[in-house]
Amino acid sequence: QVQLRESGPGLVKPSETLSLVCTVSGGSISGKYWSWIRQPPGKGLEWLGFIFYSGTTNYNPSLGSRISMSVDMPNNQVSLKLTSVTAADTAVYYCVRLHLEEGWGPFAPWGQGTLVTVSS
Amino acid sequence: SYVLTQPPSVSVAPGKTARFSCEGDSVESESVHWYQHIPGQAPVVVISYNGDRPSGIPERFSGSKSGTTATLIISRVEAGDEADYYCQVWDRDSDLWVFGGGTKLTVL
C-alpha cells in the first residue's frame, strides 16, 4: 500500500524558506495528484495546493506567490517550498494524495506529518 | 470563518450513536468527505463521496447529505472513536479544497 513520509527541517527562521520533501513508497507518483495540507497548533486543516505528476499546480491563493511545489519522478518525491515564512506558518505539514475519480475525491492516504516551527 | 460549519464538540456514551453535522452551500452540489484525526496520528478518511465507506472502515460509520447539510453517523460508539472529525469539499466557486473547523468527539 502507498505510504507517504514527510521530511525536512523542523525549525525555520522568520523570513527564510520552508522546504519539505514527501517520499512516496509502495506506488508511483505518476498519474496522480499530490497535495500539501497543514494544521497550525490548536487550529483546523488548511489545504495549501496540489501538483499533478506532470507538474501542473493549483495553489491556495491565500499564500500568494510564496508557495511552490515540484515533483521528482526518478526519486518518487514531491516537494513543497514556502518562502518568507512567519510565525503564522508554524504548523504540522502533511503530504497527501488527492483522488480524482467521480469528481474530486478525498485526500488519502496521509503522511504522518511533520511539525515545522518558525522561530528565530 | 469556514465555508463549512461544524459544531465544535459532540459527547456520547459508549454504545450510543454520535452524529456530526457539516453545513455549507458547497455541500449541496459537491461530494463531501469525512476524516477522523486522532491527535498524533495521520488523518484517515472514514467516508468519501458523501456516503461511501473506504475499505477497512467499520460499518458503524455512515454518511449522508440533504441540501446544504452533510451528516456523519457513528453507531455503537467505542472509546477508540474519540478523535476530531473533519468534513471537506471542493468549493467550485473558489476552486479551493476546504475543510470544516472540525468536531471533537468525546466518549463519556
Side-chain angles (χ1 to χ4, degrees):
Chain A
Q1 74 191 43
V2 175
Q3 292 187 315
L4 290 70
R5 179 173 55 85
E6 305 89 349
S7 59
L11 181 64
V12 181
K13 290 182 168 56
S15 80
E16 295 191 345
T17 297
L18 179 159
S19 295
L20 296 175
V21 173
C22 173
T23 302
V24 180
S25 59
S28 172
I29 65 173
S30 180
K32 303 178 183 68
Y33 291 85
W34 305 92
S35 261
W36 289 90
I37 291 168
R38 70 181 180 182
Q39 183 175 35
K43 296 188 178 180
L45 299 165
E46 179 185 24
W47 172 77
L48 303 183
F50 76 63
I51 185 166
F52 192 43
Y53 79 106
S54 62
T56 300
T57 56
N58 184 354
Y59 301 136
N60 190 324
S62 69
L63 298 166
S65 60
R66 297 197 300 130
I67 187 170
S68 63
M69 297 180 186
S70 60
V71 295
D72 179 348
M73 293 285 289
N75 290 306
N76 225 35
Q77 293 177 329
V78 178
S79 296
L80 168 71
K81 288 190 188 301
L82 191 62
T83 62
S84 304
V85 297
T86 69
D89 295 309
T90 293
V92 175
Y93 286 76
Y94 294 97
C95 175
V96 296
R97 180 189 164 190
L98 171 61
H99 289 253
L100 176 59
E101 294 146 9
E102 307 162 16
W104 288 111
F107 295 105
W110 296 57
Q112 277 296 118
T114 186
L115 174 62
V116 179
T117 301
V118 178
S119 175
S120 55
Chain B
S1 62
Y2 294 95
V3 170
L4 300 176
T5 300
Q6 296 184 251
S9 63
V10 165
S11 299
V12 66
K16 300 300 185 182
T17 298
R19 292 179 173 82
F20 305 81
S21 63
C22 173
E23 186 173 353
D25 290 341
S26 296
V27 168
E28 190 161 26
S29 56
E30 307 300 334
S31 293
V32 179
H33 314 292
W34 290 90
Y35 303 86
Q36 177 193 65
H37 188 196
I38 297 171
Q41 299 184 16
V44 173
V45 58
V46 292
I47 293 292
S48 60
Y49 297 104
N50 307 316
D52 292 346
R53 195 174 48 252
S55 173
I57 301 301
E59 292 183 6
R60 302 183 297 107
F61 289 78
S62 63
S64 64
K65 75 174 185 180
S66 176
T68 60
T69 300
T71 303
L72 169 70
I73 293 176
I74 308 176
S75 304
R76 302 182 299 283
V77 166
E78 303 173 356
D81 297 330
E82 200 163 82
D84 296 318
Y85 290 85
Y86 293 90
C87 59
Q88 175 257 313
V89 299
W90 170 59
D91 183 68
R92 184 182 298 270
D93 290 342
S94 60
D95 193 23
L96 289 176
W97 280 255
V98 294
F99 292 87
T103 299
K104 180 177 180 59
L105 171 63
T106 299
V107 181
L108 301 171

